[in-house]
Amino acid sequence: MAAPLKGKWRIVEMELWDKDFLDMMGPAYIAFDGKAGGEFAFGCVTAGLHCRKTPSGVDFTWEGNDEMDQASGDGWAERQKDGSLEGENPLPQW
C-alpha cells in the first residue's frame, strides 16, 4: 500500500468552476495531515476532511460551509507519478 497522503496541494482546475471562482477567497487548496484528516478551500467553500487510506490515495468525506450554508460530501484523491494529485469532489450536499 502507498504511503498516506500528507501535504498541501494547490487546486488548479475543477470541472465545474473556472479559475476566478476557485481563487475567489484566496488560493484554492486541499491539504492532508497524513493520518485521517485534512481540509480544503475553494471559491466560497471551506471544509474539514475525514480520510480513509486506499491503495493509491484516499477516499474522504467532508463537512463544512458553502457561502455560509452547511454542506457535506465525499470524494477521493490519488497521487500521480509526477507528485500531483488527481481526484473528484462531487457537488456539495446540503
Side-chain angles (χ1 to χ4, degrees):
M1 217 178 227
L5 285 179
K6 183 175 182 179
K8 185 174 182 179
W9 283 262
R10 179 86 161 85
I11 300 173
V12 295
E13 180 180 14
M14 292 180 84
E15 185 176 329
L16 297 177
W17 297 285
D18 65 22
K19 179 122 177 77
D20 288 339
F21 175 78
L22 292 179
D23 295 337
M24 181 185 303
M25 303 298 288
Y29 72 90
I30 189 165
F32 300 96
D33 66 12
K35 298 176 185 171
E39 63 184 24
F40 69 75
F42 67 88
C44 294
V45 183
T46 58
L49 304 175
H50 180 4
C51 304
R52 184 176 56 82
K53 188 175 166 183
T54 66
S56 56
V58 295
D59 288 335
F60 59 83
T61 57
W62 61 269
E63 290 187 33
N65 295 291
D66 181 357
E67 295 187 22
M68 302 302 289
D69 292 325
Q70 284 189 317
S72 61
D74 57 12
W76 56 268
E78 295 179 348
R79 186 187 320 254
Q80 304 301 296
K81 290 181 182 183
D82 66 1
S84 66
L85 287 185
E86 184 173 314
E88 184 173 307
N89 181 17
L91 292 173
Q93 302 164 356
W94 292 274

Short mmCIF file of all heavy atoms in Angstrom, two decimals, residues 33-65:
data_model
loop_
_atom_site.label_atom_id
_atom_site.label_comp_id
_atom_site.label_asym_id
_atom_site.label_seq_id
_atom_site.Cartn_x
_atom_site.Cartn_y
_atom_site.Cartn_z
N ASP A 33 -3.32 15.61 6.44
CA ASP A 33 -2.40 15.57 7.57
C ASP A 33 -1.60 14.27 7.67
O ASP A 33 -0.81 14.09 8.59
CB ASP A 33 -3.13 15.85 8.88
CG ASP A 33 -4.15 14.80 9.27
OD1 ASP A 33 -4.18 13.70 8.67
OD2 ASP A 33 -4.92 15.07 10.21
N GLY A 34 -1.81 13.34 6.75
CA GLY A 34 -1.07 12.07 6.77
C GLY A 34 -1.67 11.05 7.71
O GLY A 34 -1.16 9.94 7.84
N LYS A 35 -2.73 11.40 8.37
CA LYS A 35 -3.43 10.48 9.29
C LYS A 35 -4.82 10.26 8.73
O LYS A 35 -4.97 9.56 7.74
CB LYS A 35 -3.43 11.06 10.69
CG LYS A 35 -2.02 11.23 11.23
CD LYS A 35 -2.01 11.89 12.57
CE LYS A 35 -0.56 12.13 12.97
NZ LYS A 35 -0.44 12.95 14.14
N ALA A 36 -5.81 10.87 9.35
CA ALA A 36 -7.17 10.68 8.86
C ALA A 36 -7.89 12.00 8.66
O ALA A 36 -9.12 12.04 8.61
CB ALA A 36 -7.96 9.81 9.83
N GLY A 37 -7.15 13.11 8.54
CA GLY A 37 -7.79 14.40 8.44
C GLY A 37 -7.20 15.27 7.35
O GLY A 37 -6.24 14.92 6.69
N GLY A 38 -7.80 16.43 7.22
CA GLY A 38 -7.33 17.41 6.26
C GLY A 38 -8.36 18.51 6.10
O GLY A 38 -9.30 18.62 6.88
N GLU A 39 -8.17 19.33 5.08
CA GLU A 39 -9.09 20.42 4.81
C GLU A 39 -8.95 20.85 3.36
O GLU A 39 -7.97 20.51 2.70
CB GLU A 39 -8.80 21.61 5.72
CG GLU A 39 -7.42 22.22 5.50
CD GLU A 39 -7.11 23.33 6.49
OE1 GLU A 39 -7.70 23.36 7.58
OE2 GLU A 39 -6.26 24.17 6.14
N PHE A 40 -9.96 21.58 2.88
CA PHE A 40 -9.85 22.21 1.57
C PHE A 40 -10.58 23.53 1.58
O PHE A 40 -11.43 23.79 2.44
CB PHE A 40 -10.32 21.30 0.43
CG PHE A 40 -11.79 21.01 0.38
CD1 PHE A 40 -12.70 21.95 -0.06
CD2 PHE A 40 -12.27 19.76 0.74
CE1 PHE A 40 -14.06 21.68 -0.13
CE2 PHE A 40 -13.62 19.46 0.67
CZ PHE A 40 -14.52 20.42 0.23
N ALA A 41 -10.23 24.37 0.61
CA ALA A 41 -10.90 25.64 0.42
C ALA A 41 -10.83 26.00 -1.05
O ALA A 41 -9.77 25.89 -1.67
CB ALA A 41 -10.24 26.74 1.26
N PHE A 42 -11.97 26.39 -1.60
CA PHE A 42 -12.03 26.92 -2.97
C PHE A 42 -13.31 27.71 -3.09
O PHE A 42 -14.29 27.42 -2.42
CB PHE A 42 -11.97 25.81 -4.03
CG PHE A 42 -13.16 24.90 -4.06
CD1 PHE A 42 -14.28 25.20 -4.83
CD2 PHE A 42 -13.18 23.73 -3.31
CE1 PHE A 42 -15.38 24.37 -4.87
CE2 PHE A 42 -14.28 22.89 -3.33
CZ PHE A 42 -15.38 23.21 -4.11
N GLY A 43 -13.28 28.76 -3.91
CA GLY A 43 -14.46 29.60 -4.04
C GLY A 43 -14.90 30.09 -2.67
O GLY A 43 -14.11 30.63 -1.92
N CYS A 44 -16.15 29.84 -2.33
CA CYS A 44 -16.68 30.18 -1.01
C CYS A 44 -16.92 28.92 -0.18
O CYS A 44 -17.72 28.92 0.75
CB CYS A 44 -17.99 30.95 -1.16
SG CYS A 44 -17.78 32.56 -1.93
N VAL A 45 -16.24 27.83 -0.52
CA VAL A 45 -16.41 26.56 0.17
C VAL A 45 -15.17 26.29 1.03
O VAL A 45 -14.05 26.38 0.55
CB VAL A 45 -16.58 25.40 -0.83
CG1 VAL A 45 -16.82 24.08 -0.11
CG2 VAL A 45 -17.72 25.68 -1.80
N THR A 46 -15.39 25.98 2.31
CA THR A 46 -14.32 25.54 3.21
C THR A 46 -14.82 24.30 3.94
O THR A 46 -16.01 24.20 4.27
CB THR A 46 -13.95 26.62 4.24
OG1 THR A 46 -15.10 26.96 5.00
CG2 THR A 46 -13.38 27.85 3.56
N ALA A 47 -13.93 23.34 4.17
CA ALA A 47 -14.37 22.11 4.81
C ALA A 47 -13.22 21.37 5.46
O ALA A 47 -12.07 21.49 5.05
CB ALA A 47 -15.03 21.19 3.77
N GLY A 48 -13.58 20.57 6.45
CA GLY A 48 -12.66 19.62 7.05
C GLY A 48 -12.88 18.26 6.43
O GLY A 48 -14.00 17.93 6.01
N LEU A 49 -11.82 17.46 6.37
CA LEU A 49 -11.87 16.14 5.74
C LEU A 49 -11.71 15.03 6.77
O LEU A 49 -10.97 15.18 7.74
CB LEU A 49 -10.74 15.98 4.73
CG LEU A 49 -10.61 16.99 3.61
CD1 LEU A 49 -9.35 16.73 2.81
CD2 LEU A 49 -11.84 16.95 2.73
N HIS A 50 -12.40 13.94 6.54
CA HIS A 50 -12.15 12.69 7.27
C HIS A 50 -11.75 11.68 6.19
O HIS A 50 -12.55 11.35 5.31
CB HIS A 50 -13.38 12.24 8.02
CG HIS A 50 -13.17 10.97 8.79
ND1 HIS A 50 -11.97 10.33 8.89
CD2 HIS A 50 -14.02 10.22 9.51
CE1 HIS A 50 -12.10 9.24 9.63
NE2 HIS A 50 -13.34 9.15 10.01
N CYS A 51 -10.51 11.20 6.27
CA CYS A 51 -9.93 10.40 5.18
C CYS A 51 -9.78 8.93 5.55
O CYS A 51 -9.54 8.59 6.71
CB CYS A 51 -8.55 10.94 4.84
SG CYS A 51 -8.54 12.68 4.39
N ARG A 52 -9.90 8.10 4.53
CA ARG A 52 -9.64 6.66 4.66
C ARG A 52 -8.64 6.30 3.57
O ARG A 52 -8.86 6.55 2.38
CB ARG A 52 -10.93 5.87 4.46
CG ARG A 52 -10.74 4.36 4.68
CD ARG A 52 -12.05 3.61 4.57
NE ARG A 52 -12.74 3.85 3.31
CZ ARG A 52 -12.49 3.22 2.17
NH1 ARG A 52 -11.55 2.32 2.10
NH2 ARG A 52 -13.18 3.51 1.09
N LYS A 53 -7.51 5.75 4.00
CA LYS A 53 -6.43 5.39 3.08
C LYS A 53 -6.90 4.30 2.11
O LYS A 53 -7.61 3.39 2.49
CB LYS A 53 -5.24 4.90 3.90
CG LYS A 53 -4.00 4.67 3.11
CD LYS A 53 -2.86 4.30 4.06
CE LYS A 53 -1.71 3.73 3.30
NZ LYS A 53 -0.63 3.30 4.18
N THR A 54 -6.49 4.43 0.86
CA THR A 54 -6.73 3.42 -0.17
C THR A 54 -5.37 3.02 -0.75
O THR A 54 -4.37 3.68 -0.47
CB THR A 54 -7.64 3.96 -1.30
OG1 THR A 54 -6.94 4.99 -2.00
CG2 THR A 54 -8.96 4.49 -0.75
N PRO A 55 -5.31 1.99 -1.58
CA PRO A 55 -4.01 1.59 -2.15
C PRO A 55 -3.31 2.71 -2.93
O PRO A 55 -2.09 2.77 -2.98
CB PRO A 55 -4.36 0.42 -3.06
CG PRO A 55 -5.59 -0.16 -2.45
CD PRO A 55 -6.35 1.02 -1.92
N SER A 56 -4.07 3.63 -3.52
CA SER A 56 -3.45 4.66 -4.35
C SER A 56 -3.66 6.09 -3.84
O SER A 56 -3.28 7.03 -4.51
CB SER A 56 -3.97 4.54 -5.78
OG SER A 56 -5.37 4.62 -5.79
N GLY A 57 -4.26 6.26 -2.68
CA GLY A 57 -4.51 7.61 -2.17
C GLY A 57 -5.46 7.58 -1.00
O GLY A 57 -5.24 6.83 -0.05
N VAL A 58 -6.53 8.39 -1.08
CA VAL A 58 -7.53 8.43 -0.01
C VAL A 58 -8.92 8.59 -0.59
O VAL A 58 -9.12 9.19 -1.64
CB VAL A 58 -7.28 9.58 0.99
CG1 VAL A 58 -5.99 9.40 1.75
CG2 VAL A 58 -7.34 10.93 0.33
N ASP A 59 -9.88 8.05 0.12
CA ASP A 59 -11.29 8.40 -0.04
C ASP A 59 -11.60 9.31 1.13
O ASP A 59 -11.01 9.15 2.22
CB ASP A 59 -12.19 7.17 0.04
CG ASP A 59 -12.08 6.27 -1.18
OD1 ASP A 59 -11.71 6.77 -2.26
OD2 ASP A 59 -12.37 5.07 -1.05
N PHE A 60 -12.48 10.28 0.95
CA PHE A 60 -12.78 11.17 2.07
C PHE A 60 -14.24 11.60 2.07
O PHE A 60 -14.92 11.60 1.05
CB PHE A 60 -11.87 12.40 2.08
CG PHE A 60 -11.94 13.25 0.83
CD1 PHE A 60 -12.93 14.21 0.66
CD2 PHE A 60 -10.99 13.11 -0.17
CE1 PHE A 60 -12.98 15.00 -0.48
CE2 PHE A 60 -11.02 13.89 -1.32
CZ PHE A 60 -12.02 14.84 -1.47
N THR A 61 -14.70 11.93 3.26
CA THR A 61 -15.96 12.64 3.44
C THR A 61 -15.58 14.01 3.96
O THR A 61 -14.50 14.21 4.52
CB THR A 61 -16.90 11.93 4.43
OG1 THR A 61 -16.24 11.77 5.68
CG2 THR A 61 -17.32 10.57 3.89
N TRP A 62 -16.44 14.98 3.74
CA TRP A 62 -16.14 16.33 4.22
C TRP A 62 -17.39 16.99 4.75
O TRP A 62 -18.51 16.67 4.36
CB TRP A 62 -15.49 17.17 3.14
CG TRP A 62 -16.29 17.40 1.89
CD1 TRP A 62 -16.28 16.65 0.76
CD2 TRP A 62 -17.20 18.47 1.64
NE1 TRP A 62 -17.12 17.17 -0.18
CE2 TRP A 62 -17.71 18.30 0.34
CE3 TRP A 62 -17.65 19.55 2.38
CZ2 TRP A 62 -18.64 19.18 -0.23
CZ3 TRP A 62 -18.57 20.42 1.83
CH2 TRP A 62 -19.05 20.23 0.53
N GLU A 63 -17.17 17.90 5.69
CA GLU A 63 -18.22 18.74 6.24
C GLU A 63 -17.68 20.14 6.34
O GLU A 63 -16.53 20.34 6.75
CB GLU A 63 -18.63 18.25 7.62
CG GLU A 63 -19.37 16.92 7.60
CD GLU A 63 -19.91 16.55 8.96
OE1 GLU A 63 -20.28 17.46 9.73
OE2 GLU A 63 -19.96 15.35 9.23
N GLY A 64 -18.50 21.11 5.95
CA GLY A 64 -18.06 22.49 6.01
C GLY A 64 -19.15 23.45 5.62
O GLY A 64 -20.33 23.21 5.90
N ASN A 65 -18.75 24.52 4.95
CA ASN A 65 -19.67 25.58 4.56
C ASN A 65 -19.50 25.95 3.10
O ASN A 65 -18.38 25.95 2.59
CB ASN A 65 -19.38 26.84 5.40
CG ASN A 65 -19.68 26.60 6.86
OD1 ASN A 65 -20.82 26.44 7.23
ND2 ASN A 65 -18.64 26.56 7.67
#
